[in-house]
Amino acid sequence: MVPTVDIFLEGFRPGVIERLDLGYETLSSINTGLVYCSITGFGQSGPSSQTPGHDLTYLAESGILSAATRPGQKPGIPLNALADFSAGGLLAAFGVMAALHERTSSGRGAFVDVSMYQGLLLMASHARDWIESIAEDNSWGGGLLTGEAPFYDCYLAKDERWVAVAALEPKFFRRFCSTLGLDDLTDSQNDRARWPEMRVRFSDAIGSRNSHETLALLKESDVTVAPVLSLTEAFEEAVSRGVVGDAFSLGPVPRFDAFSFPPVDRSPLPGADTCTILRNFGFSALEIREFLSDGVVEQAES
């Protein structure tokens, strides 16, 4: 298989794949154009390369978890979309595409070393720049976009539903205050001495109505607000907007005007196409059965 493939992807801890005799040096000697991508927690080298981890622990060590937590509160546990899928999966896809593009001119493949921890640091690097320029640490709710500002926060409505408010720009802030009947605050957005008062009054105003009433009022005034939806509600809303055909056929994202892909009802199960792929590589039915019985590969049940 190795001589004809373009990409090899693995996610073992550094050293494991080499012990299986499937490391980059071995495979690239067979296929010099191979783009070999390794996704790990902390990269192939360094003092933490052998440290185990998961999305939550990478978020903790990158500082992002503290930036999403208020002082004195227990850090929330977000969906594993940041480290696993963004800092890991998306950066891996970006690196692989870059290596494939470079191969068109050099003819050589490349080793793509993706660290989820380093990817998170990259995504948070702008916050570090802010700290250095204005000496404001965004950790523990201490930044403009991490909870300190009352006009960039979430508030509980009368029906126990949360409303997200992101009235950052002055025009949105003024509309937000005016719509809620708080005209005396419209020119005080940057007066930090009034922020505690604002938070209380915003909370009281939004808490006096059901969420759909508040959202309808504010959206009519073109204010940047949104309901805090559950995952189920979010996909149902996407379906109602026509963004997807049903709750399982979102992709492809991004979309392209030059070409299109056939719709997919839902992502295939891991191993759903194992036998088909092996047949395409020329393995016989007997060989495939042996692979399955020996546990070399798995075929998902349809």
Side-chain angles (χ1 to χ4, degrees):
M1 298 171 69
V2 175
T4 59
V5 299
D6 292 303
I7 304 163
F8 184 91
L9 177 67
E10 65 92 14
F12 290 106
R13 209 182 299 193
V16 173
I17 200 74
E18 285 76 15
R19 291 198 295 272
L20 297 173
D21 202 25
L22 293 171
Y24 175 65
E25 296 298 329
T26 299
L27 299 192
S28 63
S29 67
I30 300 170
N31 180 353
T32 58
L34 181 67
V35 173
Y36 190 113
C37 181
S38 293
I39 304 177
T40 62
F42 297 97
Q44 295 297 306
S45 60
S48 299
S49 63
Q50 294 298 321
T51 303
H54 277 298
D55 196 283
L56 180 61
T57 55
Y58 305 139
L59 287 171
E61 292 202 62
S62 71
I64 291 179
L65 202 59
S66 70
T69 306
R70 303 297 176 87
Q73 290 187 353
K74 177 181 177 180
I77 302 177
L79 188 70
N80 65 322
L82 293 177
D84 287 350
F85 293 103
S86 297
L90 283 178
L91 283 182
F94 183 83
V96 166
M97 292 298 103
L100 288 173
H101 180 70
E102 194 277 337
R103 191 181 69 176
T104 61
S105 58
S106 70
R108 298 187 306 272
F111 180 77
V112 182
D113 178 10
V114 178
S115 159
M116 288 179 274
Y117 165 69
Q118 293 174 19
L120 289 172
L121 289 177
L122 173 66
M123 294 179 180
S125 60
H126 66 288
R128 178 60 186 171
D129 294 339
W130 290 343
I131 294 171
E132 291 184 344
S133 63
I134 61 176
E136 182 180 75
D137 191 342
N138 291 264
S139 306
W140 313 113
L144 181 69
L145 302 182
T146 55
E148 183 183 17
F151 45 84
Y152 198 84
D153 205 347
C154 296
Y155 293 92
L156 191 63
K158 186 177 180 180
D159 56 0
E160 300 295 310
R161 298 296 303 260
W162 290 94
V163 174
V165 177
L168 279 174
E169 293 80 3
K171 64 179 181 180
F172 292 129
F173 179 79
R174 288 192 293 269
R175 292 173 193 165
F176 175 69
C177 293
S178 296
T179 303
L180 294 181
L182 306 174
D183 295 279
D184 61 303
L185 296 176
T186 55
D187 295 323
S188 302
Q189 181 175 13
N190 296 320
D191 185 354
R192 294 191 175 219
R194 298 195 70 180
W195 281 8
E197 173 199 350
M198 286 183 197
R199 197 180 303 277
V200 172
R201 294 178 68 184
F202 292 165
S203 180
D204 289 343
I206 292 175
S208 67
R209 301 180 179 89
N210 288 330
S211 59
H212 68 274
E213 296 174 308
T214 297
L215 289 164
L217 278 172
L218 293 171
K219 284 180 179 282
E220 186 177 355
S221 299
D222 195 31
V223 178
T224 46
V225 294
V228 178
L229 302 178
S230 69
L231 289 170
T232 299
E233 291 171 331
F235 279 100
E236 289 174 347
E237 177 64 20
V239 171
S240 71
R241 294 179 185 180
V243 176
V244 295
D246 58 59
F248 296 98
S249 59
L250 179 61
V253 178
R255 299 185 180 184
F256 303 88
D257 65 348
F259 53 89
S260 61
F261 299 91
V264 177
D265 289 337
R266 62 184 66 203
S267 299
L269 294 172
D273 301 312
T274 298
C275 292
T276 300
I277 292 170
L278 291 175
R279 282 194 297 270
N280 290 340
F281 272 101
F283 290 99
S284 67
L286 177 59
E287 289 174 316
I288 294 173
R289 284 198 298 271
E290 289 177 346
F291 290 153
L292 292 170
S293 63
D294 293 341
V296 176
V297 297
E298 290 186 1
Q299 171 68 43
E301 302 229 352
S302 57

